[in-house]
Amino acid sequence: QVQLVESGGGLVQAGGSLRLSCAASGSRFGFNVMGWYRQAPGKQRELVATINHSGATEYDDSVKGRFTISNDNAKNTVYLQMNSLRAEDTADYYCYARAWMAFWGKGTLVTVSS
């Protein structure tokens, strides 16, 4: 059974930093792509950043230059370093992993106070 366990959310002031982690397990062949999506109150879930097994990354324009995604393939773990946080980054952040299908974590709340 595939499980994604997120950690690292919390409350931070605008301009501050947080680091999210997500450890995935349960796939014999690992995960092709891992990443993060977020959903703010009243809005649809949106892509934040993804990274594939080879290290190629994709970012939403709103986080480019502020957020950095990285991974540890041996540990099936993905990280999201978030710097220069803004109030509009406040959302539930969901870990995403794709093997033979897509899997989601339960989410971790990031709150940025202005």
Side-chain angles (χ1 to χ4, degrees):
Q1 183 178 357
V2 172
Q3 287 188 319
L4 277 62
V5 179
E6 301 133 327
S7 61
L11 173 63
V12 64
Q13 288 188 333
S17 299
L18 282 175
R19 188 187 193 219
L20 305 182
S21 300
C22 172
S25 61
S27 172
R28 289 182 60 188
F29 303 103
F31 300 89
N32 300 321
V33 178
M34 295 186 72
W36 297 91
Y37 284 68
R38 67 186 179 187
Q39 187 169 16
K43 295 188 176 182
Q44 290 188 330
R45 191 173 296 188
E46 63 179 12
L47 169 73
V48 177
T50 61
I51 185 167
N52 70 13
H53 193 80
S54 299
T57 59
E58 179 183 359
Y59 294 93
D60 183 75
D61 286 344
S62 66
V63 306
K64 284 180 180 177
R66 301 187 299 123
F67 292 8
T68 302
I69 191 169
S70 60
N71 64 349
D72 184 334
N73 288 328
K75 296 181 179 180
N76 286 328
T77 299
V78 63
Y79 308 96
L80 186 68
Q81 178 66 43
M82 305 185 293
N83 299 329
S84 302
L85 283 160
R86 306 167 180 168
E88 53 264 38
D89 295 318
T90 294
D92 285 306
Y93 283 70
Y94 294 89
C95 181
Y96 164 85
R98 191 178 76 213
W100 62 94
M101 60 178 285
F103 297 92
W104 295 92
K106 294 182 179 180
T108 185
L109 179 62
V110 172
T111 303
V112 184
S113 62
S114 57

